[in-house]
Amino acid sequence: RRYPTVEIRAETFNGSTHVPVPSDSAFLKALLFELRLIDDHIFVEHRDTCTRINHSSVYSVRTEGGDLWPVLAFQKTGLIYACLPLVEETLEPRPPLLTVSGLSQGLALLLGIVDYISPSRKNEAEMSAKIGQLRNLLIQACPLGTPLNTNIRSLNSSFDDIQEMPTDENQPAWRSNTYKGKPQVNVCIAEKVKCMQYDKRDVVDMWQVYGAVNCKCDIEGSAPNVTLSLNLPTNGPPLQDIVVHHCVTSIDPAMLMSSSAEPLDDSVYNGPYKFPFIPPSDSFNLCYYTSQVPVPPILGGYQLVEEGSQLKITVHLKLHESIKNSFEYCEARIPFFNRGPITQLEYKVSYGQLDLSREKSLLVWVIGQKFPKSLEVSLSGTMSFGTAGKEHPTDYVCTGNTAYVKLYFRIPDFTLTGCYVDQHSIQIFVPGKPKITASRELISSDYYIWNSKAPAPMVYNTVF
């Protein structure tokens, strides 16, 4: 979808340096080229040089009229989602990404489209029908080029309700309909932890925690006011890099100033974090945050050595004593790349159960729902391999003894930061006593333990 009004504004901001948006076919060809989906076998210096490594989904797309920037694009389940946000300032020199508000708006809109289309990926007819309705939905979600409602699923695919004015002029655009019934609020804090562990003295282990607070508010009224507070335990690590939903009506600026890019000091804001807002009709993420927690939940070591035709492996995992020892699931997966099927396996586990995948190239160590009282588990084994076939996994990074263990786990009713919602602090300015449900969870995300007996790819350079 194109917005001539937005293109005119872009030309006004940039004057003689303005790069016009080419035809749809020319833009698509240029975008596919930039994403290396066509002509990927050809080395093109401006696209493939090692000095130009993209750390985000923002691209500069070369067209006949010049370089289009910033093009926001990413791939998801076989589809490409892309938009060209308006930069409300000159593009020479290019402003920092964090100052371009259109990027976050465009990303929210694209993620709304992903959320609308993705559930139908396995049914081609249903997906085609949804894509056919998308143009009508965008007229409501983004009528003149500015996203008003990024929750595409909550919109009506027909034009019947577009002409109707809201019955209450105070009703915000993001409340697409009004609720009738008993008031209830559901809040879920979902934290994910990423980790890279090397078990080496000269390499620093890295881990990141990032959370999202999801809300679903079924409340009567055209513009109900809700106030929700996030709390931390005493001496809990403060929340940082907080990004709030556009429905939040006011916020303490100190909350938004805490950045993980800068070292923590005593003056950092550590809560309680108050969010007054007028909720959308459907579920939404009230805010996102990161935090610098002192330790990862599970510490591990992995050793893989090759002895003749056999591999010897040793894995040791320890749950930190501050972590709740109650998992919905916990398992370690140990892949063996660029090798044939496992033909012979001898192993010993101190706890849990070890399974071999159907293609016989992956060990799945099911630890279960609890660590033992010692909070430590170990696995050792010896294996031999047959001839590799096409169905066995390959990897250009994990060659030789460079290999990893990947952990998968979920801990319900627990967050690594200790962040929680005090149900009694939720204020809803509507008649009747609302039912309030609050939950939280910690989930692993890209949780790797690399073989300490081989070189591993470094996510962060430890020398600055």
Side-chain angles (χ1 to χ4, degrees):
R1 182 167 177 79
R2 304 173 74 109
Y3 295 94
T5 52
V6 179
E7 294 187 42
I8 290 171
R9 290 178 66 196
E11 191 172 356
T12 304
F13 279 117
N14 296 298
S16 60
T17 61
H18 175 68
V19 178
V21 181
S23 66
D24 291 357
S25 59
F27 175 77
L28 176 61
K29 185 177 180 182
L31 179 62
L32 293 175
F33 181 81
E34 182 64 31
L35 296 176
R36 294 178 58 85
L37 296 174
I38 57 173
D39 296 337
D40 62 328
H41 59 286
I42 303 171
F43 176 80
V44 181
E45 186 169 352
H46 81 268
R47 179 189 70 179
D48 303 321
T49 176
C50 290
T51 59
R52 182 171 175 246
I53 300 174
N54 258 7
H55 295 289
S56 68
S57 298
V58 180
Y59 298 89
S60 176
V61 175
R62 184 158 293 187
T63 66
E64 287 189 3
D67 289 353
L68 274 181
W69 184 90
V71 176
L72 182 60
F74 57 87
Q75 297 181 65
K76 185 82 172 176
T77 59
L79 296 174
I80 301 171
Y81 298 82
C83 68
L84 178 59
L86 174 68
V87 180
E88 298 184 284
E89 56 185 298
T90 58
L91 292 176
E92 296 294 341
R94 285 183 182 174
L97 294 182
L98 287 174
T99 66
V100 182
S101 60
L103 280 172
S104 57
Q105 294 175 345
L107 180 61
L109 184 63
L110 291 181
L111 291 176
I113 296 173
V114 171
D115 187 49
Y116 168 71
I117 290 178
S118 288
S120 307
R121 281 295 295 132
K122 293 181 180 178
N123 186 326
E124 194 169 330
E126 185 181 330
M127 189 183 73
S128 297
K130 281 196 169 185
I131 291 175
Q133 295 169 351
L134 194 54
R135 185 173 180 83
N136 293 354
L137 295 172
L138 282 174
I139 292 175
Q140 303 170 64
C142 193
L144 294 173
T146 301
L148 300 179
N149 186 353
T150 57
N151 190 347
I152 308 298
R153 280 198 303 170
S154 70
L155 301 174
N156 192 328
S157 60
S158 73
F159 284 103
D160 297 340
D161 62 345
I162 296 178
Q163 304 302 328
E164 295 180 6
M165 294 296 291
T167 54
D168 188 336
E169 61 181 11
N170 294 321
Q171 181 171 332
W174 58 85
R175 278 187 72 80
S176 55
N177 53 59
T178 54
Y179 172 78
K180 298 291 183 184
K182 186 178 179 181
Q184 51 186 1
V185 175
N186 291 302
V187 185
C188 178
I189 303 174
E191 285 188 358
K192 292 187 177 180
V193 55
K194 281 188 173 185
C195 195
M196 290 279 175
Q197 294 183 40
Y198 302 98
D199 194 26
K200 292 184 177 181
R201 287 187 177 182
D202 58 335
V203 182
V204 178
D205 294 343
M206 303 299 297
W207 56 92
Q208 297 173 316
V209 177
Y210 51 100
V213 181
N214 184 268
C215 298
K216 177 73 167 69
C217 302
D218 294 326
I219 305 170
E220 290 188 358
S222 57
N225 287 292
V226 180
T227 298
L228 182 148
S229 292
L230 298 181
N231 296 274
L232 293 174
T234 308
N235 299 324
L239 306 185
Q240 297 176 285
D241 305 322
I242 298 174
V243 179
V244 299
H245 192 273
H246 56 73
C247 72
V248 175
T249 52
S250 65
I251 199 164
D252 188 331
M255 284 170 52
L256 305 179
M257 297 301 290
S258 180
S259 169
S260 59
E262 299 175 4
L264 291 171
D265 57 44
D266 294 336
S267 63
V268 72
Y269 191 90
N270 58 3
Y273 302 86
K274 267 192 174 179
F275 300 90
F277 60 96
I278 299 174
S281 307
D282 214 331
S283 65
F284 68 102
N285 285 329
L286 177 66
C287 71
Y288 300 91
Y289 62 83
T290 66
S291 184
Q292 299 181 43
V293 296
V295 290
I298 299 176
L299 288 165
Y302 178 35
Q303 293 186 352
L304 179 151
V305 292
E306 209 157 351
E307 294 185 356
S309 60
Q310 290 187 323
L311 281 187
K312 284 191 173 183
I313 64 166
T314 305
V315 184
H316 179 261
L317 302 175
K318 181 178 181 182
L319 181 69
H320 194 269
E321 56 268 16
S322 65
I323 307 301
K324 180 182 178 184
N325 190 8
S326 178
F327 294 77
E328 182 179 303
Y329 58 84
C330 180
E331 66 180 42
R333 298 185 185 180
I334 312 168
F336 297 95
F337 298 106
N338 312 307
R339 303 177 191 273
I342 297 173
T343 55
Q344 186 178 1
L345 172 64
E346 295 178 8
Y347 68 90
K348 180 182 178 182
V349 288
S350 67
Y351 193 81
Q353 172 184 328
L354 189 68
D355 297 322
L356 181 61
S357 67
R358 182 180 297 178
E359 70 276 7
K360 297 185 177 180
S361 59
L362 173 72
L363 294 180
V364 180
W365 181 13
V366 180
I367 296 164
Q369 296 181 319
K370 270 187 178 294
F371 274 66
K373 284 187 178 180
S374 65
L375 302 182
E376 296 186 50
V377 294
S378 61
L379 159 69
S380 59
T382 305
M383 62 202 73
S384 302
F385 296 85
T387 305
K390 288 184 178 180
E391 71 277 10
H392 292 94
T394 58
D395 193 290
Y396 295 111
V397 174
C398 298
T399 56
N401 288 354
T402 299
Y404 61 76
V405 174
K406 189 173 182 182
L407 298 186
Y408 296 82
F409 57 83
R410 178 182 179 271
I411 307 177
D413 194 29
F414 180 81
T415 50
L416 201 53
T417 59
C419 182
Y420 66 97
V421 174
D422 182 359
Q423 297 187 33
H424 301 291
S425 71
I426 297 179
Q427 297 175 316
I428 304 174
F429 302 97
V430 293
K433 188 177 181 181
K435 179 185 177 184
I436 298 173
T437 306
S439 61
R440 53 185 188 160
E441 62 182 5
L442 177 68
I443 305 170
S444 63
S445 171
D446 297 334
Y447 204 106
Y448 293 95
I449 300 169
W450 290 90
N451 177 23
S452 60
K453 295 293 185 180
M458 300 302 158
V459 180
Y460 300 95
N461 192 344
T462 55
V463 180
F464 293 94

